């Protein structure tokens, strides 16, 4: 891990890569003529991934230009959705769910573990640009509470220890296996199935 | 047509009308913040909730279309209770700073809180606070007061055509802002101040200046362009503190341009408040008596043919008529009101008017614009063109400079060649005009002030004739003027008489010595260096170019300081009214000319404004029909000739500073520095340049 200072810098220009340009053509073609603006969300997602996890001003303006929108309209969309960032974020964005189910199942300890490993508080980014820590309302995985979302994946059934292990793996440059960290399969009961034991998946 | 019952009264309205609009027909007012007649419906403030029978809960009447048999109650317990609740929520985050808020006394929220508010707050938590936003030199923001009605966003996007405002964030964190907190690049930007129902957007130049109830309100007419916007002048003592729009569906609807609104501080600076006489090369203060005596001495036994007069862009009709009569008395026929040298043909009124009328643009179905940037030359004409364009089916062609006009158009070319191509049918746009039922052409001063202006005028008339722009009840030929005085001057014949010289002739004569005395009635937009040899009398209200070169300065009144007639570009005579008296020794302009005529022993035959207006009414029926457009007959005008291929140039270099008043305005100077690049700036094109 190298301490870099330029992860916060605003790039001077942004143009979609050739690979993304091909994708954009396919995305925009899904919408009727004159309704290209509907493609703003997928394009912003592409732009965010290409620009390094966040949307600098030049990227917003480029998306606006590609779709024939006013830049402010695109900025409105960016500011509306939490998954789009208009300020620099770390390489990994850690969303800690602190809503009721996770809270009852111990999200406080998970959050404490996150803060301990990263050394930053909620809403902050580590100096080296590795992690950004964010609080998130219910992510809809209550049956596996408590959980966090890191980048595109859910890490569920966490404890302080497993949370630390997951984040340490990210620190080492690995991507740990997403899903339940307690060993259970998806959201099946912890002590094994209690019903539907005699059916194979999909059979009735 | 559905029949509905509102508060026990039945009304039949066309389908598609909302409950709120239907109620308005019955004279029932439903409170609202976000709804506005001229903007799209947002339905987000919820203040207009009403009770509708069989509906499970109160309904937002601004966004709910009427249906057959609907029974609406706007003042029932349910409706009132719902509004009380909405008001309580609106006030949760609204600061209690009415005593220091500029909107106080004319605030929708304040007024409606009186009717629906609780009188105390049950909210014990912290209130939301939002940082102040920058929106340029005209709009002062205090965003904590914002109630998120989004009227300003809708105005910028829909009416002004500059989608630069938006709402960032969501729910409690939503904030209204311009893109990157820049100034709004529109000539109509300050209208968002009027639209704002609270004190979030207030007037920056007027900040903490006055309370609405201390102001004297005078209904008047604007002279910053030739549109003739209806305005209300708010003054206190001898100062105009602000200018607001007045509703006139025919002209400006309820908007005015930023120049109309904010050039008023120019009325306080650079004023001529006493007569001056040049002695030993220096202008020295003098009395009216001395000034008149100096003029009388100079004119003594001077042949009338050596005297000339030029009327400026802000001259009122009364003073032009008086000056014309005085010149006739002196035996001179050298007079002109076209100080920019526009080759307008004074033979036929149809040839110099905006015949379609501004409201008539909405009936047109094709438009050709030649040598004009309506955004700068008549911002509200441009707003009307955009309004028509938004409805669709309105092809627009432009010959001249390609500016961002806030709508899409075909750029047909830059100069005379393109116009010739449309005229002889070789350009496709000729067919568009021919196929249209109500096509129109707009000629700007950029096309007429050139040496081939008369030929452009004739060719435009030919296009009008050949593409069917002149049919029963429709004249599609239009001239968009930039000077408030111009049409009035043409209507009363302030043009060279028999053997008379036009502006160019007068200036050349002054250089050559054939013209010895030049009377400038507020004429500042001429090359005054060419008047060096002549004896110049300048009558006007600002110490600008004209006064600089004058030998005698007679201080007149600005448009807010006199009862005067102005004829707008459509040929509509409107009355400006006196809001306060001119400063110092300055006098109303026609009175100066009347007094001077007596001093010269050529006494004019009118002693009152009424008598002078009767004289005007004789000159043209236009001056007898206030606020109306008197129809004219189509005719022949212009002189056929060859056209120069050079591009038509826009006559306005700086929208914010076009006349002595706006040049004296500090606010306009600031706008010019911050916003001016606007449509001329290539980098800021928004993709609407065709």
């Amino acid at each position: 891990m190298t301490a870099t200072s330029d992860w916060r810098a605003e790039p001077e220009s942004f143009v979609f890569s050739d690979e993304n340009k091909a994708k954009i053509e396919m995305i925009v073609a899904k919408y009727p003529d004159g309704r290209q603006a509907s493609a703003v969300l997928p394009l912003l997602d592409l732009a965010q991934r290409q620009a390094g996890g966040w949307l600098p001003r030049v990227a917003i303006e480029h998306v606006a230009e590609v779709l024939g929108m006013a830049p402010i309209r695109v900025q409105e969309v960016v500011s509306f959705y939490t998954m789009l960032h208009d300020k620099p974020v770390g390489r990994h964005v850690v969303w800690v769910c602190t809503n009721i189910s996770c809270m009852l199942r111990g999200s406080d300890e998970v959050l404490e573990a996150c803060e301990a490993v990263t050394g930053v508080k909620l809403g902050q980014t580590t100096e080296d640009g590795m992690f950004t820590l964010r609080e998130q309302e219910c992510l809809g995985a209550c049956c596996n509470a408590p959980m966090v979302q890191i980048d595109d994946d859910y890490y569920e059934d966490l404890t302080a220890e497993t949370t630390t292990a997951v984040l340490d793996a990210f620190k080492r440059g690995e991507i740990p296996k997403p899903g339940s960290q307690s060993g259970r399969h998806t959201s099946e009961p912890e002590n094994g199935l209690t019903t539907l034991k005699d059916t194979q998946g999909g059979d009735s | 047509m559905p029949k509905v019952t509102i508060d026990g009264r039945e009304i039949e309205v066309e389908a598609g009308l909302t409950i709120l609009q239907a109620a308005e027909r019955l004279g029932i007012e439903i409170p609202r913040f976000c709804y506005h007649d001229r903007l799209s419906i947002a339905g987000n403030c919820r203040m207009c909730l009403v009770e509708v029978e069989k509906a499970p809960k109160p309904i937002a009447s601004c966004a709910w279309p009427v249906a057959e048999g609907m029974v609406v109650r706007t003042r029932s317990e349910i409706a009132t209770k719902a509004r009380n609740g909405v008001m309580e929520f609106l006030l949760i985050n609204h600061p209690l700073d009415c005593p220091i808020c500029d909107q106080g006394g004319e605030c929708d929220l304040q007024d409606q809180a009186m009717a629906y508010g609780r009188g105390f707050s049950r909210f014990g938590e912290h209130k939301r606070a939002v940082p102040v936003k920058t929106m340029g030199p005209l709009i002062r923001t205090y965003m904590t007061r914002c109630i998120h009605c989004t009227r300003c966003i809708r105005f910028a996007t829909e009416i002004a055509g500059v989608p630069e405002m938006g709402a960032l964030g969501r729910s409690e964190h939503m904030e209204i802002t311009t893109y990157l907190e820049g100034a709004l690049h529109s000539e109509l930007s300050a209208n968002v101040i009027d639209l704002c129902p609270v004190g979030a957007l207030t007037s920056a130049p007027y900040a903490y200046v006055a309370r609405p109830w201390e102001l004297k309100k005078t209904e008047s007419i604007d002279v910053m362009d030739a549109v003739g916007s209806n305005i209300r002048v708010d003054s206190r003592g001898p100062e105009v503190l602000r200018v607001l729009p007045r509703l006139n569906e025919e002209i400006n609807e309820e908007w005015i341009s930023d120049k109309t609104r904010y050039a008023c501080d120019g009325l306080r600076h650079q004023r001529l408040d006493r007569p001056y006489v040049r002695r030993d090369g220096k202008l020295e203060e003098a009395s009216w008596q001395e000034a008149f005596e100096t003029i009388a001495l100079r004119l003594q036994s001077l042949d009338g043919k050596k005297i000339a007069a030029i009327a400026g862009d802000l001259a009122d009709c009364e003073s032009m008529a008086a000056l014309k009569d005085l010149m006739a008395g002196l035996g001179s026929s050298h007079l002109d009101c076209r100080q920019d040298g526009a080759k307008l043909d004074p033979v036929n009124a149809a040839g110099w008017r905006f015949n379609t009328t501004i409201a008539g643009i909405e009936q047109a179905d094709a438009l050709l614009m030649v040598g004009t940037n309506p955004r700068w030359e008549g911002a509200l004409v441009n707003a009307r063109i955009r309004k028509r364009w938004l409805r669709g089916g309105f092809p627009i062609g432009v010959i001249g400079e390609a500016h961002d006009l806030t709508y899409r158009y075909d750029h047909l070319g830059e100069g005379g060649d393109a116009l010739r191509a449309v005229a002889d049918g070789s350009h496709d746009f000729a067919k568009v005009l021919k196929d249209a039922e109500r096509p129109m052409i707009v000629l700007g001063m950029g096309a007429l002030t050139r040496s081939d202006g008369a030929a452009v005028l004739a060719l435009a008339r030919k296009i009008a004739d050949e593409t069917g722009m002149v049919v029963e009840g429709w004249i599609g030929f239009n001239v968009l003027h930039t000077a408030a005085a111009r049409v009035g001057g043409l209507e009363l014949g302030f043009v060279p008489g028999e053997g008379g010289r036009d502006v160019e002739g007068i200036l050349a004569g002054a250089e050559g010595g054939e013209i010895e005395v030049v009377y400038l009635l507020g004429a500042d937009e001429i090359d005054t260096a060419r008047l060096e040899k002549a004896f110049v009398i300048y009558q006007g209200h600002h110490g600008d170019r004209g006064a600089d070169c004058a030998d005698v300065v007679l201080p007149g009144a600005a448009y807010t300081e006199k009862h005067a007639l102005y004829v707008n570009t459509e040929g509509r005579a409107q009355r400006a009214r006196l809001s306060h008296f001119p400063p110092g020794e300055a006098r109303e302009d026609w009175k100066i000319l009347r007094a001077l005529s007596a001093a010269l022993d050529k006494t004019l035959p009118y002693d009152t404004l009424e008598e002078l207006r009767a004289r005007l009414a004789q000159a043209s029926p236009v001056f007898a029909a206030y606020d109306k457009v008197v129809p004219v007959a189509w005719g022949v005008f212009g002189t056929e000739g060859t056209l120069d291929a050079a591009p038509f140039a826009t006559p306005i270099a700086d929208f914010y500073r076009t006349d002595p008043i706006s040049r004296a305005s500090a606010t306009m100077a600031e706008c010019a520095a911050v916003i001016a690049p606007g449509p001329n700036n290539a980098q800021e094109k928004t993709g609407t340049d065709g």
Side-chain angles (χ1 to χ4, degrees), chain B residues 36-347:
Chain B
H36 192 279
D37 288 349
R38 288 167 218 281
L39 304 174
S40 63
I41 293 170
N44 53 9
C45 78
R46 316 310 287 179
M47 196 60 200
C48 64
L49 292 174
V50 294
E51 182 190 355
V52 176
E53 230 169 57
K54 292 184 190 126
K57 52 184 183 172
I59 274 170
S61 60
C62 74
W64 202 272
V66 291
E68 182 59 43
M70 198 179 244
V71 180
V72 180
R73 279 186 279 275
T74 70
R75 281 161 231 236
S76 66
E77 204 191 324
I78 289 181
T80 316
K81 213 175 150 211
R83 284 182 210 153
N84 287 347
V86 168
M87 179 55 77
E88 191 171 10
F89 273 107
L90 285 176
L91 293 179
I92 274 181
N93 276 320
H94 193 82
L96 190 60
D97 60 359
C98 303
I100 56 148
C101 175
D102 260 344
Q103 192 85 353
E106 47 187 7
C107 175
D108 289 358
L109 186 65
Q110 199 177 31
D111 294 348
Q112 290 179 32
M114 293 301 288
Y116 298 99
R118 213 166 239 282
F120 63 92
S121 173
R122 296 190 290 177
F123 187 70
E125 324 295 319
H126 285 297
K127 284 188 178 232
R128 186 185 81 122
V130 182
V132 163
K133 301 276 186 294
T134 314
M135 286 190 196
L138 301 178
I139 306 167
R140 188 188 167 88
T141 71
Y142 196 107
M143 298 319 282
T144 304
R145 295 175 188 151
C146 178
I147 58 166
H148 302 153
C149 70
T150 69
R151 275 185 186 181
C152 51
I153 300 178
R154 285 176 281 147
F155 176 84
T157 310
E158 295 161 17
I159 310 270
V162 287
E164 293 173 12
M165 286 190 94
L168 300 187
R170 59 175 152 149
S171 70
E172 201 194 22
H173 305 290
M174 178 168 149
E175 292 182 16
I176 306 284
T177 182
T178 48
Y179 187 59
L180 305 176
E181 290 202 32
L184 205 54
H185 291 95
S186 169
E187 295 69 39
L188 303 173
S189 68
N191 287 301
V192 298
I193 297 167
D194 292 342
L195 282 172
C196 184
V198 297
L201 308 179
T202 53
S203 171
Y206 174 74
Y208 307 132
V209 168
R211 283 300 192 187
W213 55 83
E214 359 168 53
L215 301 173
K216 179 186 166 198
K217 294 145 185 110
T218 312
E219 302 201 333
S220 194
I221 300 300
D222 171 55
V223 298
M224 294 297 132
D225 52 30
V227 172
S229 298
N230 287 208
I231 54 170
R232 194 185 90 193
V233 176
D234 282 9
S235 58
R236 186 175 59 188
E239 274 184 310
V240 176
L241 295 182
R242 62 173 180 179
V243 171
L244 295 175
R246 194 151 57 86
L247 181 73
N248 189 331
E249 296 289 353
E250 303 284 303
I251 303 170
N252 55 315
E253 301 185 272
E254 58 189 272
W255 324 117
I256 50 173
S257 78
D258 291 352
K259 185 164 55 177
T260 300
R261 192 184 296 261
Y262 285 121
C264 62
D265 67 323
L267 292 168
R268 297 199 284 273
H269 306 291
Q270 298 279 83
R271 290 305 299 268
L272 299 171
D273 57 357
R274 67 190 64 193
Y276 289 86
V277 172
R278 195 176 291 275
R279 295 189 187 107
D280 305 327
K282 270 172 79 177
L283 279 176
E284 286 176 13
E285 290 173 9
S287 67
W288 279 105
Q289 186 73 23
E290 288 168 313
F292 284 170
E293 276 167 9
T294 313
I295 295 171
L297 196 68
R298 185 67 184 81
L299 292 184
Q300 210 172 29
S301 67
L302 184 71
D303 183 3
K305 297 204 165 41
K306 299 196 161 188
I307 309 171
I310 301 173
D313 292 349
L314 306 181
D316 56 285
C317 296
E318 286 89 346
S319 62
M320 280 190 285
L323 180 56
K324 189 189 172 195
D325 291 348
L326 178 62
M327 295 302 286
L330 291 168
S332 165
S333 55
H334 310 307
L335 32 130
D336 206 343
C337 63
R338 301 161 295 183
Q339 58 169 339
D340 56 6
K343 303 286 183 295
L344 291 156
D345 196 339
V347 293

Side-chain angles (χ1 to χ4, degrees), chain B residues 222-228 259 311-315 320 337-340 344 377-378 445 480-490 525 566-570 651-652 658-659:
Chain B
D222 171 55
V223 298
M224 294 297 132
D225 52 30
V227 172
K259 185 164 55 177
D313 292 349
L314 306 181
M320 280 190 285
C337 63
R338 301 161 295 183
Q339 58 169 339
D340 56 6
L344 291 156
E377 292 164 29
M445 288 304 120
L480 180 57
H481 292 270
T482 51
R486 189 66 51 83
V487 178
L490 290 164
E525 325 297 325
Y566 288 96
V567 184
N568 81 346
T569 190
E570 304 167 286
I652 296 178
T658 51
D659 52 78

